[in-house]
Amino acid sequence: MALGRKSEAIVDNSNTHDITLNDKDDVSPQNQAGVFGSDPEKAEGEPKYRKMSRIGGPIPGIVGESDTDSTLSVGKQLELEQSNSIKYRTCSWQKTAALLFAEYICLAIMSFPYSYSVLGLVPGLIITVVVAALVLYTSLIVWEFCLRHPEVRDVCDLGQMLFYGWKWVWYVTAVMFLLNNTFIQGLHVLTGATYINTMIGSSYTGTCTVAFSAVVAIVSWACSLPRTFDTLAKIATFSAFFTFISVLLAAIFAGIEDHPAKYNTGGPKGNFVGEPLVLVVPAAGTTFVSGMNAFLNISYTFIGQITIPSFIAEMKNPKDFPKALWAVTICEIIVFGLVGSVVYAYTGTQYNTAPAFGSLGNETYKKVAFSFMIPTLIFLGVLYASVSARFVFFRIFEGTRHKGNHTVVGWASWAGILAILWVSAFIVAEVIPFFSDLLSLMSSLFDSFFGFIFWGTAYFRMRKADYGPGWIHRRGIRGLSGFVLNVIIILIGLFMLTAGTYATVQSILDNYATGNIKGFSASDVQRLIQPAPLNVAKHAPALRSNNKFSTFHTSGLIKRCNACQIVLCTPIASCRVGASQRRYTSQSSSPSDTLKKTALHDLHVANGGKMVPFGGYSMPVQYSDLGVGESHKWTREKASLFDVGHMVQHRFSGPGASAMLEKMTPFSATDLKPYYSTLSCLLHPGTGGIVDDTVIARLGPETFYLVTNAACREKDLAYISEQIASHKHFGKIDWQVLDGWGLVALQGPLSVEILQDALGEQGAEQVYLPSLYFGQCKHVYFEVPSSDQGPAPILISRGGYTGEDGFEISVPPHLTALFTEHLLKSGGRDKLRLAGLGARDSLRLEAGMCLYGHDLNDETTPVAAGLSWVVGKSRRIGGGFHGDEVILRELKPAKEGGQGAEKRRVGLVVQGAPAREGAIIVTGDSTQPAEIGKVTSGCPSPTLGKNIAMGYVQRGHHKAGTKVGVVVRGKRREAEVVKMPFVASKYWKQAAGTAPG
């Protein structure tokens, strides 16, 4: 396709709407009878003179001397503007390039390292070049269309002409056009506001964010006031320059600093370990949704054809537009590919964030690099506001003196239109609770049309207008190649419309099902430029958590600058993958790691399980037969079966086992009887911070069974290995990780009946479940009926994570699927259903139970977490466990000479909208609020019909009945501290004699 070669003069025949190319015509504006154009794709043997025809009649609404004046040539438009004090067609190609630079070279560049980590560096770079080439080609089609129809003012005019002048197409296009632009404005209002809030160190209160958003909206409104793109281009040049400096600094800083942020810290989930690893190709097991999201992330950064008709409409010489387009495209490919590759190379898959500023370990580097991005955060919203305002203003004042002159009516209307647009942007950013998700969804829906479908259709209509119905045959190989290429372009658009929308909706559904509101929230920007606690790892649209690739078994490991490793990970490579940041309650995007599967994966899929990444595994968030809320209530009323086989099961034995566990945890081995269990915590030496929470069961004098979190696997294994190696004087310790063993949780009031029936006579001879109380366990040798597997030991423990009576059952690998199917069959669908992570999360919150990485982390002690009871009575006297000095001081109240905990975990009932993780807890009245803590988990309670949450508050504010406020999307919501659990537990306790107790 030869789009963009030197233009020739063309003559507009207003009767036939045909444009004749003529090499010898005078191309000066004074002698133009038509518009400037080129002869795209002229084949050999074609006549030197050909007609570049209009695809249809004129657009009504442009005032001229006659009806046919609606096809005013560029020269005629320039002539008509000569007497105006405001001239629109004054933009040079250089200034148009500045506008394009400002539109394309933006914050989204810094999400390319994330995309490359999902797609692999080589496919990511290839996609970058291919998408850039396709956008360049389609942009040239837009340009050619505008040359044929110089009266086109924006993409709405173009859309109506493209689809046979149908007025309803204009209205649909206009709605998409205005929604797209307004939501982009809203995004930049929110981002700019949070940047100001963070940099001045203001307490993050309800009025604070709203006020700063208003400030940003007002500043943006003022910057939007220039009436012409020629004037706006000066601001665009400034914006593009600072953006270039920002990304250049980010790449330089990533290369010169010793290590990226969180390097080798382990992190709350063990994500941050080892040297940065770079994938040359996608990791085996990369999901369609994660790959599609990474592809869309790249595509959306390039797609911007929606503004091109507006830009061309104000160019003095539209024929020069390709110069601007080529300059920008070349720079895009270089800057996007180079910055994305360099930053990814030095931050790797484990440590890269989106935007990548968060990957910088040096806080000064981070703030400096991000600060240079601020002009773009403002100007991009300004640019889209200006484009939208033109759409409205020109249609109101076309043909009047107010359009082209300095009149009070004209300027007041222009300022008023902009004010309405910015107020709308402010409202959607601050009021709509699912704003970011809606923005992502609109991008999938709108960009498919404005990026591809429109322009493939435009190509076909223009060629048919030029050559007639048989244009493909008439043009030979050029006609066929053009036809094929533009069919592909339309199919890409349809693919983005269907598969892209599916990927976006699926991601949204997964997040909402688990209490996660995805998107570019205020706290996301705050974390980019402010030191964050170790347990925070969430980022914004297009934005995702850090992932960890730990042990790659493959060849091709290459050292790079002593700062990273390039890993060739083929689809057959064996990869052990650590956990990505848990998505529930605040994180957005799909992890790109190779996902492991539990022994029940096929069972989940066969039963309609909606699979999502969690803890490095593909796990069901819910099933097709019950929604999350329905599954939650089913568990409370009947019984549900949860697959928790992703959890890490351990066995400790040997003479030094109890001493080792007493060193790592505050539990008392002497107080724990055989076949009893207790909740405990692995503790950091010195600080007493929680490495992970765990359940410890004693199976013999020196034999113990532990369960730890899947998301902390790599961190826990490293911690335990180090502890055993450092305490060999305790004696021999045999430590086994029971990889492959299944673990299922049967929870609900009918659990005991269902399990006893499933165990049958062979089980009844070994255990009578009504006499197995909460906190007790029992080995049962069981043979699944009608199977060829012999008896095998299963460990039945009474307890769970829901607050209901129930059991957790550890099953050998070969028996896991058979036993689970037998259990489901024995229970029957009228009593027992499969349940997923979504219901498990809301159930555990109602039960007041902690989730590591959210309610617990490396910096939180058991006392602060409200888990003082995990410290055994004998341990409170003698200590001897990690962090004992800190924990024992906190256990002793300050009034008794102790220290007490500075913060305390509390339960909250919140009025109005639900409070999610990261929401600020405040006290005082609305005029002078003071921050006292943060929410760590929150969701609507299906059982209570109230919004419940957990969080940490400063000491003194933790008493039940204390009135506080919670800032939810910039608005203060009233809340009250309450006792936990929120829903009374129903454990079968021996102390009560009967259950529930």
Side-chain angles (χ1 to χ4, degrees), residues 1-5 100 104 127-145 299 301-305 308 312 320-333 450-452 455 459 485-486 489:
M1 307 301 108
L3 286 172
R5 72 178 68 160
L100 291 172
Y104 289 114
I127 290 174
T128 299
V129 175
V130 171
V131 171
L134 286 173
V135 172
L136 170 66
Y137 178 80
T138 53
S139 298
L140 289 169
I141 292 177
V142 181
W143 168 65
E144 182 188 343
F145 192 97
S299 300
T301 306
F302 281 102
I303 294 172
Q305 298 96 314
I308 289 178
I312 294 176
D320 287 337
F321 178 75
K323 297 178 183 178
L325 190 61
W326 275 101
V328 172
T329 302
I330 292 171
C331 288
E332 280 181 315
I333 294 173
F450 295 140
F452 296 97
W455 318 129
Y459 175 88
L485 176 58
N486 284 276
I489 287 172

Side-chain angles (χ1 to χ4, degrees), residues 97-121:
L99 294 170
L100 291 172
F101 269 113
E103 180 183 5
Y104 289 114
I105 310 295
C106 59
L107 180 62
I109 300 172
M110 301 310 293
S111 65
F112 273 56
Y114 151 67
S115 294
Y116 292 167
S117 73
V118 176
L119 301 168
L121 186 57

Side-chain angles (χ1 to χ4, degrees), residues 438-520:
L438 194 56
L439 179 61
S440 298
L441 182 59
M442 288 201 314
S443 295
S444 297
L445 294 173
F446 299 166
D447 284 355
S448 58
F449 289 99
F450 295 140
F452 296 97
I453 296 174
F454 268 28
W455 318 129
T457 305
Y459 175 88
F460 291 137
R461 294 221 56 198
M462 288 190 294
R463 294 300 169 265
K464 184 177 180 181
D466 291 342
Y467 298 100
W471 66 271
I472 300 175
H473 175 73
R474 188 171 294 117
R475 302 220 59 211
I477 188 64
R478 286 177 178 252
L480 181 61
S481 61
F483 172 79
V484 171
L485 176 58
N486 284 276
V487 166
I488 292 173
I489 287 172
I490 292 175
L491 290 177
I492 291 174
L494 293 174
F495 179 71
M496 289 181 66
L497 179 62
T498 53
T501 302
Y502 163 77
T504 302
V505 171
Q506 186 63 53
S507 181
I508 293 171
L509 291 176
D510 291 347
N511 290 320
Y512 274 88
T514 53
N516 167 24
I517 294 183
K518 168 187 174 184
F520 201 92

Side-chain angles (χ1 to χ4, degrees), residues 925-994:
D925 59 37
S926 59
T927 59
Q928 292 183 321
E931 180 178 333
I932 58 170
K934 289 185 179 180
V935 171
T936 54
S937 292
C939 73
S941 166
T943 303
L944 302 176
K946 301 177 181 178
N947 296 319
I948 61 174
M950 283 196 294
Y952 284 83
V953 297
Q954 296 171 4
R955 183 172 59 198
H957 300 280
H958 64 284
K959 300 294 185 181
T962 302
K963 304 294 184 181
V964 297
V966 180
V967 181
V968 181
R969 290 200 60 79
K971 182 177 180 181
R972 177 186 173 122
R973 308 287 182 176
E974 296 305 316
E976 181 179 347
V977 176
V978 298
K979 291 183 178 181
M980 292 185 286
F982 297 98
V983 175
S985 60
K986 301 174 184 178
Y987 304 128
W988 186 269
K989 293 185 177 180
Q990 188 175 15
T994 58

Side-chain angles (χ1 to χ4, degrees), residues 379-492:
F379 181 76
L380 262 183
V382 167
L383 182 63
Y384 280 91
S386 184
V387 170
S388 294
R390 276 167 168 70
F391 168 77
V392 178
F393 184 80
F394 288 174
R395 276 155 183 80
I396 296 175
F397 294 106
E398 190 66 65
T400 71
R401 64 189 182 89
H402 304 300
K403 176 185 175 183
N405 293 282
H406 296 295
T407 66
V408 174
V409 172
W411 274 107
S413 300
W414 175 257
I417 292 168
L418 285 170
I420 292 172
L421 290 172
W422 281 112
V423 169
S424 300
F426 171 82
I427 291 173
V428 299
E430 291 296 333
V431 175
I432 299 179
F434 48 91
F435 163 65
S436 297
D437 287 331
L438 194 56
L439 179 61
S440 298
L441 182 59
M442 288 201 314
S443 295
S444 297
L445 294 173
F446 299 166
D447 284 355
S448 58
F449 289 99
F450 295 140
F452 296 97
I453 296 174
F454 268 28
W455 318 129
T457 305
Y459 175 88
F460 291 137
R461 294 221 56 198
M462 288 190 294
R463 294 300 169 265
K464 184 177 180 181
D466 291 342
Y467 298 100
W471 66 271
I472 300 175
H473 175 73
R474 188 171 294 117
R475 302 220 59 211
I477 188 64
R478 286 177 178 252
L480 181 61
S481 61
F483 172 79
V484 171
L485 176 58
N486 284 276
V487 166
I488 292 173
I489 287 172
I490 292 175
L491 290 177
I492 291 174

Side-chain angles (χ1 to χ4, degrees), residues 251-272:
I252 292 173
F253 290 156
I256 65 175
E257 65 179 1
D258 292 334
H259 301 293
K262 304 186 186 301
Y263 171 76
N264 231 13
T265 59
K269 297 182 178 298
N271 299 339
F272 315 125

